[in-house]
Amino acid sequence: MVATRLELNLMRLLSRCEALAAERRDPEEWRLEKYVAALEDMLRELKKQASKPAPELLNEYSRKVDFLKGLLEAEKLSSSTEKALASQFLAPGRTPTTAKERTPATKTVHLQTKARCTGKMRSELLGTSDPQQSTNLTSLPLCSCRGLTSDEKQSAVELDAVLQHHQDMQEKLAEEMLGLARSLKNNTLAAQNVIKQDNQTLSHSLRMADQNFEKLKDESDRLEQHAKKSVNWLLWIMLIVVCFIFISMILFIRIFPKLK
């Protein structure tokens, strides 16, 4: 499918934003934030078009825009530790934006941001002000740096402890989420079984009610027929008794004439 003018503009602006994000920016730099806001508007308009791209491509655009938005929000945090943790949870794009890129630019920006935030956090903990020195320290094990003083080694050990603590917290959180997911699955299965049993009980009750209704209807018909038969026999008996009394009275009058 041929890309529309809006999609081409979105790709150009996205590539420009990725290039700006890869650079070291001044804290008062405002262009990237405005560009990302414009990207969000263009992406919304692109989703509304009739000739919109494939869903996979739209998801990739959304993923990259969300990454840039999350990157800006992470840079606004005050603590370098919070910035480092926030950058860990960012999800870069999976495919290059332009044909000239071999690897996705957002992935490169993500790696640079994580290294930069980690270097700042190390420099704060070690008490150094040279970011290049702290960046070089990130490529070596902290405990194997021979040129450090005892205080710096202690700070490095404390930094390792902090990073290990955050890693343990993430693993614990992941285990808790897995536990909650298993519990939710078990509760869902249990509720499904209970609902299934209730449906079976209800169906059985409905069948029994239908059978009882049919039996009650049959018994009502039989009782009605029996009542009709009883009324007919009683009527015939009463008629026979009346006739017998009438005939008896006539015979009595004939046999015993009236006295003078």
Side-chain angles (χ1 to χ4, degrees):
M1 182 182 293
V2 180
T4 60
R5 182 183 299 273
L6 181 60
E7 185 179 359
L8 292 175
N9 293 335
L10 176 67
M11 293 174 60
R12 294 191 187 99
L13 185 57
L14 183 59
S15 177
R16 178 57 179 164
C17 290
E18 291 172 349
L20 286 175
E23 299 174 356
R24 288 184 176 272
R25 301 183 306 280
D26 189 81
E28 298 180 356
E29 177 65 37
W30 55 269
R31 289 182 300 172
L32 182 58
E33 186 173 358
K34 297 296 183 181
Y35 289 169
V36 172
L39 279 175
E40 292 180 342
D41 295 336
M42 295 171 68
L43 185 60
R44 281 194 294 267
E45 292 295 329
L46 186 62
K47 291 180 179 179
K48 294 179 182 178
Q49 287 187 347
S51 59
K52 58 185 178 182
E56 295 80 6
L57 194 56
L58 281 176
N59 292 334
E60 184 66 18
Y61 289 153
S62 300
R63 186 182 181 91
K64 292 179 180 180
V65 173
D66 292 338
F67 169 78
L68 293 173
K69 187 177 178 181
L71 182 65
L72 291 174
E73 293 177 355
E75 290 179 352
K76 294 178 182 179
L77 298 175
S78 58
S79 174
S80 58
T81 305
E82 295 177 352
K83 291 181 180 180
L85 289 176
S87 62
Q88 293 289 335
F89 294 101
L90 295 177
R94 298 188 179 94
T95 58
T97 304
T98 60
K100 297 180 181 180
E101 300 176 1
R102 293 185 178 180
T103 58
T106 50
K107 185 176 294 186
T108 305
V109 173
H110 189 212
L111 295 175
Q112 291 177 352
T113 304
K114 289 197 296 184
R116 190 182 305 121
C117 293
T118 305
K120 288 182 181 179
M121 186 173 61
R122 288 175 181 271
S123 64
E124 288 180 2
L125 291 175
L126 294 174
T128 59
S129 59
D130 188 5
Q132 184 66 30
Q133 180 181 357
S134 61
T135 305
N136 292 335
L137 287 175
T138 60
S139 61
L140 297 174
L142 290 175
C143 296
S144 62
C145 295
R146 299 179 179 179
L148 298 178
T149 62
S150 59
D151 294 338
E152 291 176 345
K153 289 181 180 180
Q154 184 177 0
S155 299
V157 172
E158 292 177 356
L159 177 59
D160 283 339
V162 170
L163 295 177
Q164 185 65 33
H165 175 67
H166 286 298
Q167 185 177 359
D168 294 340
M169 288 179 61
Q170 292 178 3
E171 293 178 355
K172 184 178 179 181
L173 182 61
E175 291 177 358
E176 290 179 354
M177 292 178 65
L178 289 176
L180 290 175
R182 294 192 192 98
S183 177
L184 181 61
K185 181 180 179 181
N186 294 332
N187 293 335
T188 304
L189 292 176
Q192 184 178 0
N193 293 331
V194 171
I195 293 173
K196 186 176 181 180
Q197 293 177 0
D198 291 342
N199 289 334
Q200 292 177 355
T201 305
L202 182 60
S203 300
H204 180 70
S205 300
L206 291 175
R207 287 195 299 270
M208 293 296 296
D210 292 337
Q211 293 176 2
N212 293 334
F213 179 76
E214 293 295 334
K215 290 181 179 179
L216 181 61
K217 186 177 180 181
D218 295 339
E219 294 296 330
S220 299
D221 294 339
R222 290 177 58 187
L223 182 61
E224 185 178 358
Q225 293 176 1
H226 181 69
K228 289 180 179 180
K229 289 180 181 180
S230 300
V231 171
N232 293 333
W233 280 108
L234 182 61
L235 180 62
W236 282 109
I237 291 172
M238 290 178 65
L239 289 174
I240 292 172
V241 170
V242 170
C243 292
F244 177 77
I245 293 173
F246 179 73
I247 295 171
S248 299
M249 289 297 295
I250 292 174
L251 291 176
F252 182 78
I253 292 172
R254 292 291 183 182
I255 295 172
F256 301 99
K258 185 176 180 182
L259 297 177
K260 293 181 179 181

